[in-house]
Amino acid sequence: MCVCQTMEVGKYGKNATRSGDRGVLLEPFIHQVGGHSSMMRYDDHTVCKPLITREQRFYESLPPEMKEFTPEYKGVVSVCFEGDSDGYINLVAYPYVENEALEQDDMPERDQPRRKHSRRSLHRSSSGTEHKEEKPGLASDSTESIQETKSPRVDLHIHSDVPFQMLDGNSGLSSEKISYNPWSLRCHKQQLSRMRSESKDRKLYKFLLLENVVHHFKLPCVLDLKMGTRQHGDDASEEKAARQMKKCEQSTSATLGVRVCGMQVYQLDTGHYLCRNKYYGRGLSIEGFRNALYQYLHNGIELRKDLFEPVLAKLRSLKAVLERQASYRFYSSSLLIIYDGKDSRAGVFVERRPEMRLKRVDSSLPENLQDGSSTEPGSSAQPKVDVRMIDFAHSTFKGFRDDPTVHDGPDMGYVFGLESLINIMEQMREENQ
């Protein structure tokens, strides 16, 4: 419904889905396991999310030694609604053009019911808020057409060959098996609802382009951890701060400095991803957190003990980096731990349990994963793992954006969370040698 200016999209990323001959059709990122704002797939190597100026500027001013542990920041695109021939709403990305859009003022928190706007130049940012911008030509400038359109399509063009199963609060498997992480679609629907409700005021949105940190993994197993003992930013209202403090007090954020925010882990015995969301994570005790970490490292057949050393090495390295970042605070940020469910020893499991070969392994793995790419049994190939910090909408450091509150020393709440994570993994490694 957005008749955007005629312009060529500068660069289409690999396998970007075009809308018409100019824009890039955005779809929910199927491997989003947590977070508030919807992550969208731009192309195979790039995701995008609604822009928050503070987060954008933070990415632009990252210390060089932190860049290994954060997604690569790739810039900004303009995003608008477009209706398809069936009446569905689509989000389509176009090259960002300076001064053509309204930019949302920085707000204390993502869950503000209403957000103010001011005209400013745009560059980049990333976090959990929608940034919409006005574009010169909107079909009839009316909201009726948008509001009459249907919700987003669920038959996504990009989907996983491996089904997802959400574990409910009682640890039972849900009967629903879908081709995307259920949290990703939840976030997408909520975001579209917000965008539609604001469509009278804003026609364009700014989205931040970031590296897709799971694109190297064939079967990405993702653990999203909310880090630190404090989650509210310095600019949070009293009500928001109180709410966040209560969440921390009632979860492992207070006792461990870390809590589970979401998870998906590939199960070799069933050929499915098992998923958990943030509500599960909030209710965990210390022992429950240990069990969740154990489940994340278990592929349905055995504990992936080969992951301990590479993950621990990255966590220790990140801890050393953050201990050198004086005055930095990463309130409400998350840490992603990622490994490949298609591990180099998959052949070992098949040979150990030949009766499972047809029923569980061959039938569950997509054809493109049933090739000879895995190493021979007994191979000592180091498993591929990654650790990345994300979500910087409430981060700060001395001299950043003239923030009135200046903190001393490193973010010890975040460091405490890393120490807890390292200690639990070390104990788990010793207990399972």
Side-chain angles (χ1 to χ4, degrees), residues 186-241:
R186 174 193 172 107
C187 292
H188 183 58
K189 287 180 175 178
Q190 289 177 343
Q191 181 169 296
L192 271 185
S193 177
R194 290 193 298 268
M195 292 169 75
R196 288 171 70 182
S197 69
E198 297 172 351
S199 59
K200 291 180 182 178
D201 305 319
R202 294 185 285 173
K203 306 304 187 294
L204 275 184
Y205 298 68
K206 282 189 299 184
F207 274 52
L208 186 72
L209 291 174
L210 295 170
E211 172 191 4
N212 172 9
V213 297
V214 307
H215 83 272
H216 294 296
F217 300 88
K218 291 185 176 180
L219 294 170
C221 299
V222 184
L223 180 62
D224 186 329
L225 299 169
K226 186 72 75 174
M227 300 299 295
T229 53
R230 168 181 160 176
Q231 301 303 325
H232 62 280
D234 291 325
D235 57 354
S237 66
E238 288 185 13
E239 293 79 8
K240 179 67 178 181

Side-chain angles (χ1 to χ4, degrees), residues 51 53 101-107 112-120 122 129-134 194-195 197-206:
L51 182 150
T53 306
L102 285 175
E103 176 174 351
Q104 173 181 317
D105 274 343
D106 287 338
M107 293 297 288
Q112 293 287 333
R114 273 285 183 185
R115 296 184 172 95
K116 300 176 183 177
H117 309 89
S118 67
R119 288 194 177 275
R120 283 186 195 163
L122 280 175
T129 306
E130 319 83 63
H131 263 288
K132 310 177 186 182
E133 324 168 73
E134 286 214 323
R194 290 193 298 268
M195 292 169 75
S197 69
E198 297 172 351
S199 59
K200 291 180 182 178
D201 305 319
R202 294 185 285 173
K203 306 304 187 294
L204 275 184
Y205 298 68
K206 282 189 299 184

